[in-house]
Amino acid sequence: MIKILATDGLDKSAVKTLEEMGNKVDIQSYPVEELKTVLKDYDVLIVRSATKVRVPLIDAIAGSNLKLMIRAGVGIDNIDYEYAESKGIKVMNTPNSSSASVAELVIAHMFSLARFIYIANVTMRKGEWNKNKYTGIELNGKTLGLIGLGKIGSLVAAKAAALGMHVIYNEILGELQGYPYTYVTLDDLLSKSDFISIHVPATEKPIIDESKFEIMKKGAYLINTSRATAISEAGLLKALGDGTLSGAALDVFSEEPLKNQDILNNPKISLTPHIGASTKEAQERIGSEVVEVIKNFFKL
């Protein structure tokens, strides 16, 4: 019997499947300090975004029963994975599960910004009727710049192209073969794009710092459903304030839950609480992929 702790939760069907295989699955949430003790009795730890597995926690459980950590999602930047693996704990993720859901959220935010849906919903509930104020734009014919053309970025590109958008991209790997999109430098992308969407792993320094905001096309829109570290939040607020950007959409933040009042109260920002992967379909796929990872790792 394998003992599994999904401290950030797991899809019910996946829990049922794992238990029917004869394993024990707990879905109780624990703060990190308690995990230092609790985890020693488990073989597998499954986390989503909430739990951060850093060096102190890894040191506390090194040499215990724990053999496998799974990030139920695309990235693994909330786990110090190289250090964990140096201590004999394998780290894996579910890279194929939530890409479609995140891509759809990007498109939803683009429509929301272009047609003022996010703010019109708020002001109407306050009794305001700002029909003349909310003259939007069409996505058709606009240029979408994608920073990163991996699993999620390529799905966003296909959906945007179907809407009649011209898609350009910048990718750390350079120009990619097999895509009908135009590769450009980062500065060219920033200066030419009407909409910019970010799809990169966590970075130590912002890809878009204050100086990069100054390059952006006047009146552009920025969407970040990727990692909060990819942009300078201070630079974003400045760009919105001086009119460089017409609007922004954020699903990820440097502090979660979000407490930054300048972001919360900015009428030019469409906000969602880190829900990129929060669809029924994505959670079912994540659960199925977690089951496969465990089956293959333990050869069940």
Side-chain angles (χ1 to χ4, degrees):
M1 179 183 72
I2 297 167
K3 295 184 68 176
I4 302 162
L5 175 61
T7 191
D8 294 336
L10 186 64
D11 183 70
K12 291 181 180 179
S13 61
V15 173
K16 182 180 178 182
T17 299
L18 289 167
E19 289 179 337
E20 288 176 348
M21 293 166 60
N23 304 304
K24 177 178 172 56
V25 183
D26 292 333
I27 56 172
Q28 184 172 345
S29 180
Y30 291 97
V32 170
E33 286 304 311
E34 287 188 39
L35 282 176
K36 291 179 179 179
T37 301
V38 170
L39 261 183
K40 294 178 181 179
D41 294 327
Y42 289 90
D43 302 291
V44 180
L45 171 65
I46 302 169
V47 301
R48 293 176 64 181
S49 298
T51 300
K52 314 299 181 188
V53 184
R54 302 305 182 200
V55 169
L57 174 56
I58 296 167
D59 280 338
I61 60 177
S64 67
N65 291 333
L66 197 74
K67 306 172 186 68
L68 175 65
M69 292 183 192
I70 304 173
R71 161 72 164 93
V74 177
I76 53 175
D77 44 88
N78 58 321
I79 303 174
D80 287 334
Y81 63 95
E82 291 181 346
Y83 190 75
E85 295 203 334
S86 75
K87 297 295 183 180
I89 304 169
K90 182 66 176 177
V91 178
M92 302 184 74
N93 65 342
T94 58
N96 303 309
S97 50
S98 59
S99 298
S101 294
V102 178
E104 288 190 4
L105 181 63
V106 172
I107 300 297
H109 269 304
M110 288 170 61
F111 275 117
S112 181
L113 290 169
R115 299 306 303 271
F116 295 97
I117 296 169
Y118 68 101
I119 192 66
N121 180 59
V122 173
T123 56
M124 284 191 69
R125 293 173 190 274
K126 293 180 178 180
E128 300 176 21
W129 187 262
N130 297 324
K131 178 179 174 66
N132 295 328
K133 186 177 179 180
Y134 298 145
T135 300
I137 60 172
E138 296 178 358
L139 299 186
N140 179 48
K142 302 301 187 295
T143 296
L144 170 63
L146 294 170
I147 302 176
L149 197 69
K151 293 180 183 297
I152 298 172
S154 59
L155 287 174
V156 173
K159 296 176 190 300
L163 291 170
M165 301 187 79
H166 172 56
V167 180
I168 61 178
Y169 74 96
N170 179 261
E171 168 61 51
I172 192 171
L173 299 176
E175 186 171 3
L176 303 177
Q177 300 302 312
Y179 290 104
Y181 316 120
T182 304
Y183 174 79
V184 295
T185 66
L186 178 59
D187 284 359
D188 278 347
L189 183 148
L190 297 177
S191 65
K192 295 177 180 178
S193 299
D194 300 296
F195 290 82
I196 299 164
S197 187
I198 304 171
H199 302 283
V200 297
T203 55
E204 290 186 9
K205 295 181 179 180
I207 294 173
I208 303 181
D209 57 20
E210 293 196 26
S211 65
K212 293 297 185 185
F213 279 105
E214 296 174 0
I215 301 173
M216 289 184 180
K217 183 177 181 179
K218 182 79 171 180
Y221 298 85
L222 176 68
I223 300 100
N224 187 14
T225 60
S226 180
R227 295 293 182 267
T229 55
I231 67 170
S232 163
E233 290 180 350
L236 171 64
L237 290 168
K238 182 176 181 295
L240 290 168
D242 65 19
T244 298
L245 292 181
S246 290
L250 302 176
D251 187 52
V252 289
F253 309 92
S254 58
E255 182 182 20
E256 298 182 1
L258 176 63
K259 296 177 182 178
N260 187 323
Q261 294 299 310
D262 291 332
I263 294 177
L264 281 168
N265 297 323
N266 194 304
K268 292 184 177 181
I269 305 178
S270 177
L271 298 170
T272 46
H274 205 149
I275 59 170
S278 296
T279 63
K280 292 180 180 179
E281 295 86 351
Q283 292 309 306
E284 289 173 358
R285 288 192 297 266
I286 287 170
S288 297
E289 203 167 345
V290 164
V291 171
E292 289 303 309
V293 168
I294 292 173
K295 285 172 62 177
N296 292 334
F297 183 83
F298 291 99
K299 297 180 171 54
L300 299 178

